[in-house]
């Protein structure tokens, strides 16, 4: 299997590669129309990209009366690794150059064990996917981590839930162990990229993607591009204050959104409710059975009608909806996508978020604003990670 050794030499080649990645095989004539370049120039650039091993001939395009033309596609031998590191689990996926997932693994981790332990596990998982025959090697890898990233260097900066990661050279270290180029971003930005590439936000240029898991973050897509802000911390909405006298947060402040609603906050509040005798139903039964409560227990209790569980989810949805309403007024997105493990807690959460946003934002902003769950589930971040590294490798060096 040949490795991707070449990068595009100019902006025309970049557009050809990205178009074939996003839209699939096309004839030279179709490429010429889509990237607005003469057929002869397209033919020259396609030939060069073929010589470099990045493109191959795929078969005949549909005849339109004239001579049938060959379709061009990205080399089917290209392989990318998408790695989505969460606080409690990691997703690793192998994709082809069109970013179709060829294989995917999810395993539990504890991100607090630090980068060395987590990367050892990622490398083992990548090895399992190779052993399954999905790749001989990787042409590039994208990596998402659940904290702020200084994007240019691929380095986490003071991530509140990731002790031991501050300043760790993730991009450099993983590039060495995986033996391929690596790009690193915040996990929420990658979820947004994934949903835009293959999910519910396909072809949507201005949207917000809110991830609710162990923490809460927001991917901001403006004109089709992720907006990372001046230093890479745009969208860190988990630390917007929702209650000045509220719970202490891992960041050192008080009353942050994610201190009031996140996987960890939900587990804490459920435990407090049971211990103070407020829940005598399904939550109490679950605590008695396992000795602990998680966000998933709250979801399961809500599904069987436990009043305390339903109240906790509704109150959490109110907090998130309150913050999203502010974002909608500020940003005027055409779509809000919700993802992350906690969004699996049932319809009550989505209903509470929608109610708050529609009630608090102005009609002009919400008149045609879908608020929906993501399409891609647990692989959204990994697909976004593959998208990130191909955005990099399909650009001129
Ligand atoms: Zn905080």
């Amino acid at each position: 299997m040949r490795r991707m050794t070449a990068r595009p030499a100019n902006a025309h080649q970049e557009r050809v590669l990205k178009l074939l990645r996003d839209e699939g095989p096309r004839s030279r004539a179709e490429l010429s129309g889509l990237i607005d370049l003469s057929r002869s120039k397209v033919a020259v650039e396609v030939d060069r990209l073929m010589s470099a091993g990045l493109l191959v001939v795929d078969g005949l395009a549909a005849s339109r009366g004239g001579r049938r033309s060959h379709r061009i596609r990205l080399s089917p031998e290209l392989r990318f690794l998408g790695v989505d590191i969460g606080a409690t689990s990691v997703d690793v996926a192998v994709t082809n150059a069109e970013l179709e997932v060829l294989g995917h693994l999810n395993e539990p981790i504890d991100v607090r064990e630090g980068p060395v332990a987590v990367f050892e596990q990622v490398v083992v998982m990548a090895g399992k996917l190779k052993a399954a025959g999905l790749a001989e090697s990787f042409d590039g890898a994208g990596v998402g981590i659940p904290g702020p990233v200084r994007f240019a260097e691929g380095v986490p900066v003071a991530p509140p839930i990731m002790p031991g990661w501050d300043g760790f050279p993730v991009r450099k270290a993983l590039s060495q162990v995986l033996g391929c180029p690596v790009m690193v971003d915040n996990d929420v930005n990658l979820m947004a990229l994934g949903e835009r590439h293959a999910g519910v936000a396909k072809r949507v240029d201005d949207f917000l993607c809110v991830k609710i898991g162990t923490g809460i973050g927001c991917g901001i897509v403006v004109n089709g591009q992720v907006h990372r802000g001046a230093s890479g911390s745009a969208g860190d909405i988990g630390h917007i204050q929702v209650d000045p006298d509220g719970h202490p947060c891992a960041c050192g402040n008080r009353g942050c959104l994610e201190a009031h609603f996140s996987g960890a906050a939900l587990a804490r509040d459920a435990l407090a409710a049971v211990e103070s005798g407020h829940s005598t139903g399904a939550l109490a039964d679950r605590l008695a059975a396992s000795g602990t409560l998680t966000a998933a227990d709250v979801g399961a209790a809500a599904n069987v009608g436990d009043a305390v569980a339903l109240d906790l989810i509704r109150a959490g949805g109110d907090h998130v909806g309150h913050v999203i309403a502010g974002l909608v007024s500020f940003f005027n997105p055409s779509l809000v996508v919700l993802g992350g493990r906690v969004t699996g807690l049932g319809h009550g959460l989505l209903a509470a978020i929608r109610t708050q946003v529609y009630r608090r934002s102005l009609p002009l902003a919400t008149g045609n604003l879908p608020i929906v769950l993501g399409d891609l589930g647990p692989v959204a971040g990994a697909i976004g990670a593959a998208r990130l590294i191909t955005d990099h490798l399909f650009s001129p060096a």
Side-chain angles (χ1 to χ4, degrees), residues 346-364:
H347 187 73
L349 177 64
L350 188 57
I353 292 173
R354 282 177 172 153
T355 302
Q356 283 295 325
V357 176
Y358 294 140
R359 185 183 292 158
R360 288 174 176 274
S361 308
L362 291 172
L364 184 60

Side-chain angles (χ1 to χ4, degrees), residues 238-239 249-251 253 256:
H239 302 282
C249 179
C251 74
N253 289 322
C256 296

Side-chain angles (χ1 to χ4, degrees), residues 246-337:
H247 293 289
C249 179
C251 74
N253 289 322
R254 186 169 277 281
C256 296
L257 175 61
E258 69 180 48
H260 282 261
F261 188 63
S262 60
L266 210 48
R268 174 200 65 207
D269 292 347
L271 198 60
V274 176
E275 285 175 346
S276 65
H278 284 103
S279 171
T280 51
L283 273 181
D285 294 345
R286 288 185 158 259
L287 179 61
S290 68
T292 182
L293 285 175
T294 64
D297 289 320
V298 180
N303 281 339
V304 296
D306 183 275
V308 169
L310 287 166
D311 278 349
L312 287 175
I313 290 172
R314 198 177 305 119
D318 284 349
H319 281 308
V320 177
H322 185 96
V323 169
I324 294 177
L327 303 177
V328 165
S329 297
F330 179 74
F331 179 63
N332 188 203
S334 55
L335 174 70
V336 175
V337 181

Side-chain angles (χ1 to χ4, degrees), residues 59-397:
L60 292 177
S63 167
R64 271 198 240 141
R67 196 162 53 94
R68 276 151 67 90
S69 59
H70 286 284
R71 297 212 305 179
I72 308 299
R73 63 164 293 182
L74 290 161
S75 166
E77 295 185 349
L78 294 173
R79 289 291 180 273
F80 299 96
L81 193 68
V83 179
D84 186 12
I85 298 170
T88 57
S89 72
V90 57
D91 290 278
V92 177
V94 175
T95 79
N96 60 14
E98 283 101 13
L99 312 189
E100 292 164 340
V101 174
L102 306 176
H104 165 232
L105 292 172
N106 172 281
E107 291 184 4
I109 56 161
D110 184 347
V111 78
R112 293 171 299 184
E113 286 179 8
V116 174
V118 170
F119 292 161
E120 268 176 23
Q121 189 167 346
V122 166
V123 170
V124 169
M125 291 167 78
K128 286 180 191 169
L129 291 164
K130 278 188 196 169
L134 298 174
E136 285 175 17
S137 60
F138 299 107
D139 296 285
V143 181
I145 61 169
V149 173
R150 199 184 300 124
F151 184 68
E153 295 112 83
V155 171
V157 181
I161 61 168
M162 302 167 67
W165 290 73
D166 186 19
F168 189 86
V170 172
R171 181 178 182 180
K172 211 168 130 197
L174 262 183
S175 180
Q176 273 166 7
V177 290
L178 291 171
C180 64
V182 170
M183 291 290 283
V184 183
D185 202 349
N186 178 266
D187 61 337
V188 186
N189 290 343
L190 296 186
M191 172 178 275
L193 276 178
E195 291 289 347
R196 186 165 194 275
H197 183 82
V200 70
K202 195 158 172 75
R203 297 191 180 85
V204 179
D205 282 338
D206 297 286
F207 69 97
L208 298 174
C209 182
V210 178
K211 181 175 182 181
I212 312 172
T214 304
I216 297 187
C218 179
I220 305 164
V221 175
V222 188
N223 288 330
Q225 305 286 326
V226 170
H227 173 77
R228 296 186 175 87
S231 55
S233 73
D236 209 349
I237 65 169
H239 302 282
I240 291 178
Q241 194 178 59
V242 295
D243 179 358
D245 303 316
H247 293 289
C249 179
C251 74
N253 289 322
R254 186 169 277 281
C256 296
L257 175 61
E258 69 180 48
H260 282 261
F261 188 63
S262 60
L266 210 48
R268 174 200 65 207
D269 292 347
L271 198 60
V274 176
E275 285 175 346
S276 65
H278 284 103
S279 171
T280 51
L283 273 181
D285 294 345
R286 288 185 158 259
L287 179 61
S290 68
T292 182
L293 285 175
T294 64
D297 289 320
V298 180
N303 281 339
V304 296
D306 183 275
V308 169
L310 287 166
D311 278 349
L312 287 175
I313 290 172
R314 198 177 305 119
D318 284 349
H319 281 308
V320 177
H322 185 96
V323 169
I324 294 177
L327 303 177
V328 165
S329 297
F330 179 74
F331 179 63
N332 188 203
S334 55
L335 174 70
V336 175
V337 181
L338 303 172
R341 249 178 327 107
V342 173
T343 58
L345 291 184
H347 187 73
L349 177 64
L350 188 57
I353 292 173
R354 282 177 172 153
T355 302
Q356 283 295 325
V357 176
Y358 294 140
R359 185 183 292 158
R360 288 174 176 274
S361 308
L362 291 172
L364 184 60
T366 55
N368 185 22
L369 176 67
I371 301 173
V372 299
L373 296 177
D375 264 351
L376 303 177
V379 291
I383 293 172
R387 165 90 183 205
L388 177 76
I389 187 63
T390 53
D391 271 344
H392 173 69
L393 294 173
F394 291 174
S395 302

